[in-house]
Amino acid sequence: MGIHKEDILETVTVKFAGDSGDGIQLTGDQFGNTTAVVGNDFATFPDFPSEIRAPQGTTYGVSSYQIQFASKDIYTPGDTPDVLVCFNPAALKVNLSTVNKGGIIVVNEDEFTDKNLKKAGFDSNPLDLNDRTLADFRVHKIPITKLTVEALDDFDMGHKDKLRCKNFLALGIVAWLFSRPLEPIESFLKSKFSKKPMILEANVKALHTGFNICDTMEIFPVMYTVPPAKLEPGTYRNINGALATAYGLLAASEKIDLPIVYSGYPITPASEILHVLAALKQFNVYTIQTEDEIAAITMALGAAYGGSLGITGSSGPGLALKIEALNLAVMTELPLVVFDYMRSGISTGMPTKTEQGDLGMALFGRPSDSHVIVLAPSTAADCFWISIEAVRLATKYMTPVVVLSEGFLISSSEPWKIPNLKEIPKIKTSFRTNPKGYLPYKRNKETLARDWVRIGTKGLEHTIGGLEKTNETGDVTQDPDNHDLMTRLRAEKVQRVVNDIPDLEIIGDKNADLLLVGWGSTLGSMRAAIEAVNGAGKKVAMINIRYLNPLPRNLGNILRKFKKVGVVELNLGQLNTIIRSKFLIDTSFLGRVTGQPIYVSELTNFINRELESLKEH
Amino acid sequence: MGIHKEDILETVTVKFAGDSGDGIQLTGDQFGNTTAVVGNDFATFPDFPSEIRAPQGTTYGVSSYQIQFASKDIYTPGDTPDVLVCFNPAALKVNLSTVNKGGIIVVNEDEFTDKNLKKAGFDSNPLDLNDRTLADFRVHKIPITKLTVEALDDFDMGHKDKLRCKNFLALGIVAWLFSRPLEPIESFLKSKFSKKPMILEANVKALHTGFNICDTMEIFPVMYTVPPAKLEPGTYRNINGALATAYGLLAASEKIDLPIVYSGYPITPASEILHVLAALKQFNVYTIQTEDEIAAITMALGAAYGGSLGITGSSGPGLALKIEALNLAVMTELPLVVFDYMRSGISTGMPTKTEQGDLGMALFGRPSDSHVIVLAPSTAADCFWISIEAVRLATKYMTPVVVLSEGFLISSSEPWKIPNLKEIPKIKTSFRTNPKGYLPYKRNKETLARDWVRIGTKGLEHTIGGLEKTNETGDVTQDPDNHDLMTRLRAEKVQRVVNDIPDLEIIGDKNADLLLVGWGSTLGSMRAAIEAVNGAGKKVAMINIRYLNPLPRNLGNILRKFKKVGVVELNLGQLNTIIRSKFLIDTSFLGRVTGQPIYVSELTNFINRELESLKEH
Amino acid sequence: MSTTKQTEYKADDFKSDAEPRWCPGCEDYAILKAVQMAMAQIGRPKNEHAVVSGIGCSSRLPYYMGTYGFHTIHGRPIPVATGLKISNPELAVWVVTGDGDAISIGGNHFVHAFRRNVDMNILLFDNRIYGLTKGQYSPTSQKGMINKTAPYGTIEEPSDPVGLALECGASFIAQISASYVKELVDLLVQAYNHKGTSFLHIYQNCYIYNDNAFDDFTERSIRDDNNIKIEHGKPLVFGKNLDKGLVVGYGKFDIVDIEPGNVPDNVVVYDETDSVLIRMVTDMKFPEYPVPMGVLKKTLRATFEDSLESQIELAKSKFPPDLQKLLSSGETWEVK
Amino acid sequence: MSTTKQTEYKADDFKSDAEPRWCPGCEDYAILKAVQMAMAQIGRPKNEHAVVSGIGCSSRLPYYMGTYGFHTIHGRPIPVATGLKISNPELAVWVVTGDGDAISIGGNHFVHAFRRNVDMNILLFDNRIYGLTKGQYSPTSQKGMINKTAPYGTIEEPSDPVGLALECGASFIAQISASYVKELVDLLVQAYNHKGTSFLHIYQNCYIYNDNAFDDFTERSIRDDNNIKIEHGKPLVFGKNLDKGLVVGYGKFDIVDIEPGNVPDNVVVYDETDSVLIRMVTDMKFPEYPVPMGVLKKTLRATFEDSLESQIELAKSKFPPDLQKLLSSGETWEVK
Ligand SMILES: Cc1ncc(C[n+]2csc(CCOP(=O)(O)OP(=O)(O)O)c2C)c(N)n1
Ligand SMILES: Cc1ncc(C[n+]2csc(CCOP(=O)(O)OP(=O)(O)O)c2C)c(N)n1
Ligand code: SF4
Ligand code: SF4
Ligand SMILES: [Mg+2]
Ligand SMILES: [Mg+2]
């Protein structure tokens, strides 16, 4: 190994970008894995171009994977990259404007042909010596394609197959740059290509070639090290929100000892959960791909009625189709869990992009006064815990629970301390079996839940349905006062859940003047932002609301403690509307609707502006 | 004619009640007609038992028709009847508790058989001399059945057919009691049975018999007169909300000179509009009964895209199914009009009963930030004007309009001064025809509306759809800032409508401390209530909001003028949430969710309570 | 399946306390009674039956049953029943639906139900009208019919629920009129006994909005000439005097006169598993042909829930479930 | 209809500026080209065409057309197109949809479209997979297929879009593979020329998620033995050497060997209006039979929009429209 200068960094953001067909997501994932093993904290942001595969080399076909890793706790995949690895001109075109000034750009120079440059919309070649496009960056042109093909000269495989290895060569380069070990990547390759030894060998060769040329060719003047982060001791793995959600459901199923019936209709990005669960049938998971979303929710409801965990999941357009049946679940007071993986925009919008647009719909989007529990996970790993909580609350309160998850959370990943299942408490269900005094709509005094009956139980025969019911007996009625009473009871039942959920905890400086309020995935950026400004001597606090209906009991008290409350959402102010209405507080608001996670810098700007305005008064 | 005492009354509430099969609704309608002709103001409330026809004589099979008429302006069908006309024991059982103490009860004593009494749940016969059930009322037992059969002795018709005439005999009785002329009823019978002279004669005979026996038999000690009300001069007719809605659409179609494509799937109570329009095809109304609500809204949307007035209507469960397509209409910015005839309760609920439960859904019930214009008619006749306004705003702003109408408004009726069509302004549409510089998402500077293109126009070929669009060009894009911009533009466009709608007018005492805020059909009861309390020297004002999104420009100023604001709704506080959130005013709230219009007395209680609490401070 | 002691049951054992609320004269009463009689005959206790319905007059039936019942929403009883059966495979699951509920708004679930073949019994009460919403046309309403939404007459071609079920792969199809109570009970029992999705199409007279719709083939004095009893292994003969028979013609049946009591060899002996005969019998359109009544098709194939269960068993044998191990799968590392 | 001057058009006249974004190798490209060629042949200007699609890879097609286009939502292009056609009857309306879009989520509209018979052309791109959402099974996926949502294999019986369209009363049905571009263009033109709902079922290879799905009957070297050209008035013969023919058997076709060039009399001469032949030809299931390609059914009946228009004319003649008079109908009275 040649002698290289080593720099120690606290935190770095790297972005891989290339054609959808270049294996960018795989490359990113593997970089994540080797980063994890080194003991850094990290967060990733896979970003797909759109729902359709585009012709090679076009800007709209660019896929990317961003990862931030650090020797300290981090919360986001980073606003903008320090290092950009570009597989083609289009990737450079799309991402150039985001790279931090002075940052490193690694390009596969072989791809910078006239044809590709034109496709990407470059008038001239930015790699040309006298082109100023990349003047602000440290650019490393590497003939990745050529190197790959050469490295695999001996291999008895087609040219196309050889080209497929180039992402591992690039990965080798970046691994060297950040002093990552190659073993985790090799072990991944071994399990993936166990039945294709030739491909395995070729990829390993490419990987090592990438690593080694950095040693030999002295491409980079420095080699960086990011020392391990101080994480809580334990066994860790990398997890994304899709897996965490599914695993959480399996854990809930084991803890409540009931099988899962998960019915769904494919839709981006929710399909991922269906895929994961369909492959885990050994855990008594009955997955059904239905003809549409209406069938999906009604099958899940049929299963919940029967006495199983009836679960369904979708995204905006599909959730819209489930509304009528969701109201049937509210009326019949059955424990249905509905996941909504929020995506960007109304109608088809931008299906692969993220947003927090469906809160208003979850709270108010059903005919008449209809109340459900609404939960929102705030990180990929939190999806695990929210799944368990959704099952617990749905079955305890006999009510649908809507989980507002986000497109971003599904695919983004982070290190996860593997929980010990034994430490997770059991979930109690007691199906009613005693016919004595049974009335379908008689309620538990504390929770107001009616009894859950496993259909088939002797002596408890009864009929439920969507018509208004007489309190307790459940007989169909149109009595005016009864309807008023039942409407209020249904609302009150969901309100009672407030007794069963934790108080909110303030993050940051409790004596600050300014409180930021957010929910869902903005937790990461907000945390990073307040650490940044608190570090700069400014006082800011924040809360992240995981229970959106009912809202935690201490929310009002917290809000009233601060001089100014700023609500932050990836929408135009849906939680903000609720908070203003409930607490009559003149909040300020920061909303971003770009399809992207919010930037830490947008938040720090907002914080600074709000702090300024507080000073003025 | 015998000599009878005549009493002059200012206002009376009469309720007809009997089996669904007894022709109650027809009887009520005809009483309304003859009342109209006398020049009284009036308001009616037809109330159907449920969506299913029940066996005769049961309490759940009772249908009723309440009418208030007066020599002054009135606004509601009355809280509780002064006169109850009962066709059977079940009708008495169901309605007895509502009759005003000292009121008149007319019963068909022939129906008070043991069997019928048992079916109705009476332990003893309330008509028995020593039964105290009816002690508080002036009860008139009339053998209506027997009298009818006897009167028709000569008629060569079956016994069953004769029995069918008994409601007209009863109508004759009530007509006498309130000095109503029989001619309007006769002329109705003539047109209805023009092809069945025997039935016509029989009904006329029954009617006169009923009238005459009152003269001869001196059943009632007094005969009442309600002098004509002072209505604005003009030609009047009786109108209900269903007809008014449909006629308004026809007027809009004539004024904008475009055909209507109305597609709907039957549902109570919205079907009525489809029935009315289907029978008026001569006005270029293309009605389609679709396979489901999704087809209904998408067909209407296809028609709006084509350049016609695309209209659809439903009620809660059906509206829920239209949400996904409604968002497509928002995204494609097409002028779709969606009627929601709100009915009672979540899920199937109480389909024939009224409510104001869908405001939250209309405002927030779609994935992501999605904005539509929301209007609400406040009386049966107002449905006419709201239809026109919906078409005007939808086409001018190129946006869906949701009209929140109510089950109650559909069937209730009132006198209506027939508008002169010539006085209704034309609605301008200018389809774009000029290809020069045409861009599908280029907007009118003032309204932000994009151009409407009649599909087929030469030179304007373009494709629209549910994916996010580039501003102006309409090209598909996933650009982050563009999505943020478009989301805000769509919101802003609907907000701009505020420039095009009238300011709110305060009703009642402008210097009052207390302001009541309502929307929709509560206008009547609220008006009656504030007149009542203002009459009693208390100061109250009110507003009725017909434009719910955007809210009228002067709303905030009005609200801030009053010491206390009380919001009144037939739900648990949906408008209230908005008002609190927008204006940060600590409103008080009165919500009733009984499936019935709110009682004036409930309102006066609320007002008194609020005025008391103001004093305390 | 929890084995159940066979006891003697009466129809009344399957009644609820609620008084039926259909219009007097409605044939839904007859079907209700028949369902209760069939359950008595089937001999399982009422807690082992669940009746799932949509919305419509017909769909009120569960309220009048003493079994478990779910009156769901318009058009969706089939998927609700599917979820229920997958969750509780030991239940006898019945779907009660109307022509609007099943074929109009619920058409998509109807189409896909037969592809899955979940073991449940779909009873379609076909009155060719929307009863509950007071008289609009339904997908089975005849062309030209005058009604509330078609004051100038319906202009769509009617749907054929039996043909549709067949096209979609139904494994059991039967048809009857509610006026044949004995036969109805028998077919209900047969539908129950069939493992897979059984479809029973029931002509049901709506006394109020579409009275006499089926008189041409159900009215006592003429019905024997206008419908034909279909029975596996029996010759296809009909007529008051059993003087007509069906023979295979050019891709369809031909009607031939026969001597009563003497059925010639060329008259088809019905085979409920023969796809050609099934097609021909379901293709018979009244009044050109008599209306077929009885079991039109019965073939066996795996049910959805059994196939799903086998996949779960297979998965368990291949990958014995160990959740803690699953959580720890993939690359892991220790932080100390 | 605004009469249009017949001009010479080229396929390129119907292109938009947008560059197609399908995967390289996708057969959607071939269909796009064919549609543009067909429009050139039809000879109406691009503004007189509207292409309405749902959601799916296939449904992206309108963006690449220079005509009017509406990329709607998943499963709903048929009702949108219906509303459009009723509003603008002079337009040529095309529906572009996929096997998931049309048969899964949009199944109900598909079923009801054919009952109405609105004059539009439904092009179903059947790749037996969900392309856009990356590889889940569709209703036409074959049983046992391994895919993202069925890692242990699909357990539903596949739907048959052609059979379904026939059952629902389609007045025009044709079938072809995207690999037969010339024939595809011809069928598109025929679909256009048919007044009523035309259904064109197109086998379309998805290169990424279900490659080679149709090779058994489209691969050049074997296709002539495995599919059969159906043409009105022509005998039903097939095989590389035209050495096989179809004859009417027991309710279905039998395949017989024939001498090439010498078609015996008993070989069926196809009649696209003969319901028996239509049924038999759509019943042919591969591999037992060759896959039929061509126009399988073509019959004429009134379109929905024409029937609706006649009712409007009838209403106008019976009740000349006078809105002011209507407003003043019923009992009226004067207040002075
Ligand atoms: C989503 C929705 N749309 C419409 C309705 C109104 N609706 C109730 S039942 C029904 C049709 C009933 O007809 P059918 O299914 O034939 O049953 P029948 O009453 O004739 O037995 C309709 C349209 C509803 N309840 N829900
Ligand atoms: C309401 C709704 N549900 C689900 C989806 C997701 N989705 C988009 S396309 C599609 C299926 C595509 O398959 P197909 O119709 O066969 O078209 P292909 O992509 O194969 O051409 C699905 C499930 C959606 N966009 N909207
Ligand atoms: S409306 Fe018809 S189907 Fe409904 S209960 Fe009455 S008779 Fe029966
Ligand atoms: S995924 Fe399949 S159908 Fe979609 S564009 Fe690619 S090859 Fe074509
Ligand atoms: Mg029906
Ligand atoms: Mg497909």
Side-chain angles (χ1 to χ4, degrees), chain B residues 243-458:
Chain B
L243 286 177
T245 303
Y247 292 175
L249 289 177
L250 298 181
S253 163
E254 189 166 308
K255 289 297 164 184
I256 197 171
D257 198 17
L258 288 176
I260 289 174
V261 175
Y262 187 102
S263 43
Y265 185 72
I267 188 166
T268 304
S271 322
E272 202 49 36
I273 312 299
L274 183 59
H275 303 164
V276 172
L277 289 174
L280 291 170
K281 291 209 167 57
Q282 64 270 28
F283 292 97
N284 283 322
V285 182
Y286 295 75
T287 58
I288 316 171
Q289 178 181 319
T290 55
E291 56 271 33
D292 59 20
E293 283 86 354
I294 301 174
I297 186 169
T298 45
M299 281 190 201
L301 184 63
Y305 168 65
S308 300
L309 297 181
I311 304 174
T312 186
S314 193
S315 300
L319 182 66
L321 291 171
K322 298 187 186 201
I323 295 308
E324 192 204 358
L326 188 50
N327 247 1
L328 177 64
V330 175
M331 186 58 125
T332 51
E333 308 193 27
L334 286 169
L336 177 75
V337 178
V338 179
F339 286 88
D340 175 24
Y341 301 96
M342 293 178 289
R343 61 188 225 186
S344 198
I346 57 172
S347 195
T348 312
M350 308 198 302
T352 60
K353 308 296 176 187
T354 203
E355 202 160 292
Q356 300 182 323
D358 303 353
L359 176 59
M361 182 168 184
L363 296 172
F364 305 113
R366 291 171 297 284
S368 197
D369 288 289
S370 165
H371 302 263
V372 298
I373 296 173
V374 181
L375 308 179
S378 46
T379 67
D382 190 31
C383 292
F384 180 84
W385 301 105
I386 284 282
S387 281
I388 299 175
E389 189 66 348
V391 168
R392 180 182 77 86
L393 293 175
T395 51
K396 179 162 177 187
Y397 289 87
M398 290 292 282
T399 175
V401 173
V402 172
V403 178
L404 292 179
S405 196
E406 295 165 54
F408 167 70
L409 291 178
I410 286 229
S411 49
S412 92
S413 60
E414 56 175 309
W416 186 45
K417 188 177 159 196
I418 299 165
N420 183 343
L421 277 175
K422 294 210 189 79
E423 289 166 9
I424 299 174
K426 282 214 174 307
I427 303 175
K428 263 198 296 188
T429 23
S430 37
F431 285 108
R432 171 105 188 191
T433 52
N434 182 1
K436 222 181 126 197
Y438 172 67
L439 291 175
Y441 276 75
K442 194 156 174 173
R443 296 168 188 285
N444 177 300
K445 289 230 168 52
E446 182 202 339
T447 61
L448 295 184
R450 67 185 199 91
D451 288 327
W452 199 8
V453 171
R454 206 192 290 270
I455 300 307
T457 308
K458 194 167 176 135

Side-chain angles (χ1 to χ4, degrees), chain D residues 13-14 113 144 146 162 200 206 226 253 298 328 333-334:
Chain D
D13 295 335
F14 298 91
I146 305 285
V162 161
L200 179 53
C206 167
N226 291 296
F253 288 130
K298 182 170 161 66
S328 315
W333 66 95
E334 293 296 324

Side-chain angles (χ1 to χ4, degrees), chain D residues 285-299:
Chain D
K285 292 287 160 285
F286 185 80
E288 204 193 330
Y289 288 100
V291 176
M293 304 279 191
V295 176
L296 312 188
K297 175 175 181 185
K298 182 170 161 66
T299 52

Side-chain angles (χ1 to χ4, degrees), chain A residues 581-603:
Chain A
S581 177
K582 249 186 115 101
F583 304 105
L584 300 175
I585 286 174
D586 194 7
T587 55
S588 56
F589 177 70
L590 173 64
R592 285 296 279 161
V593 201
T594 59
Q596 305 285 324
I598 201 161
Y599 280 178
V600 174
S601 59
E602 289 170 328
L603 281 160

Side-chain angles (χ1 to χ4, degrees), chain C residues 29-322:
Chain C
Y29 287 102
I31 308 179
L32 172 64
K33 183 78 197 177
V35 170
Q36 291 161 344
M37 286 163 66
M39 285 188 183
Q41 214 166 303
I42 288 164
R44 291 178 65 183
K46 59 183 181 176
N47 56 295
E48 296 184 6
H49 291 275
V51 186
V52 180
S53 67
I55 300 288
C57 293
S58 32
S59 290
R60 292 291 177 107
L61 188 135
Y63 290 113
Y64 313 133
M65 298 293 301
T67 62
Y68 281 100
F70 197 165
H71 179 227
T72 69
I73 45 179
H74 194 32
R76 319 301 173 191
I78 289 176
V80 171
T82 299
L84 175 60
K85 181 74 184 181
I86 288 165
S87 162
N88 307 32
E90 71 292 351
L91 277 177
V93 175
W94 303 80
V95 169
V96 169
T97 181
D99 40 328
D101 197 63
I103 309 291
S104 194
I105 192 169
N108 207 26
H109 312 304
F110 187 80
V111 163
H112 290 275
F114 300 111
R115 298 180 47 228
R116 292 202 183 89
N117 198 36
V118 167
D119 184 18
M120 59 187 174
N121 315 303
I122 301 177
L123 318 181
L124 193 159
F125 297 20
D126 187 356
N127 53 12
R128 294 186 176 166
I129 196 81
Y130 286 1
L132 188 66
T133 48
K134 308 202 164 100
Q136 302 84 6
Y137 63 94
S138 91
T140 56
S141 293
Q142 302 301 289
K143 208 164 168 171
M145 181 204 203
I146 306 284
N147 54 65
K148 285 231 185 89
T149 38
Y152 292 92
T154 300
I155 58 182
E156 279 113 325
E157 288 293 327
S159 279
D160 171 12
V162 161
L164 193 56
L166 178 64
E167 172 54 42
C168 298
S171 58
F172 178 102
I173 301 177
Q175 175 163 278
I176 194 68
S177 146
S179 61
Y180 286 92
V181 176
K182 202 177 70 61
E183 288 80 357
L184 174 54
V185 173
D186 177 56
L187 291 176
L188 286 163
V189 174
Q190 290 200 50
Y192 168 79
N193 285 330
H194 173 73
K195 193 160 163 67
T197 305
S198 310
F199 177 55
L200 179 52
H201 182 240
I202 308 171
Y203 292 108
Q204 171 249 324
N205 192 53
C206 167
Y207 182 66
I208 301 295
Y209 295 110
N210 197 18
D211 199 17
N212 307 327
F214 311 115
D215 277 7
D216 287 349
F217 55 89
T218 60
E219 208 277 312
R220 252 166 216 286
S221 65
I222 51 170
R223 67 186 194 182
D224 291 339
D225 282 327
N226 291 296
N227 69 54
I228 176 170
K229 187 164 183 179
I230 310 291
E231 220 172 339
H232 184 65
K234 298 275 170 70
L236 297 181
V237 296
F238 69 108
K240 204 170 291 179
N241 308 315
L242 296 176
D243 56 356
K244 290 185 203 105
L246 301 182
V247 301
V248 171
Y250 170 66
K252 52 185 185 179
F253 288 130
D254 291 335
I255 301 177
V256 295
D257 290 326
I258 61 172
E259 203 185 308
N262 195 349
V263 182
D265 275 0
N266 64 338
V267 164
V268 171
V269 173
Y270 197 67
D271 178 347
E272 65 195 12
T273 68
D274 178 329
S275 62
V276 170
L277 292 181
I278 295 167
R279 181 66 95 183
M280 287 182 183
V281 91
T282 57
D283 269 356
M284 284 163 55
K285 291 285 161 288
F286 185 81
E288 202 193 330
Y289 287 99
V291 176
M293 304 280 191
V295 176
L296 313 187
K297 176 176 179 184
K298 181 171 162 66
T299 53
L300 270 184
R301 61 181 169 93
T303 65
F304 185 80
E305 63 276 25
D306 283 353
S307 304
L308 198 53
E309 198 64 54
S310 328
Q311 293 197 338
I312 287 181
E313 292 315 316
L314 177 66
K316 282 183 184 166
S317 69
K318 277 178 113 170
F319 310 103
D322 178 340

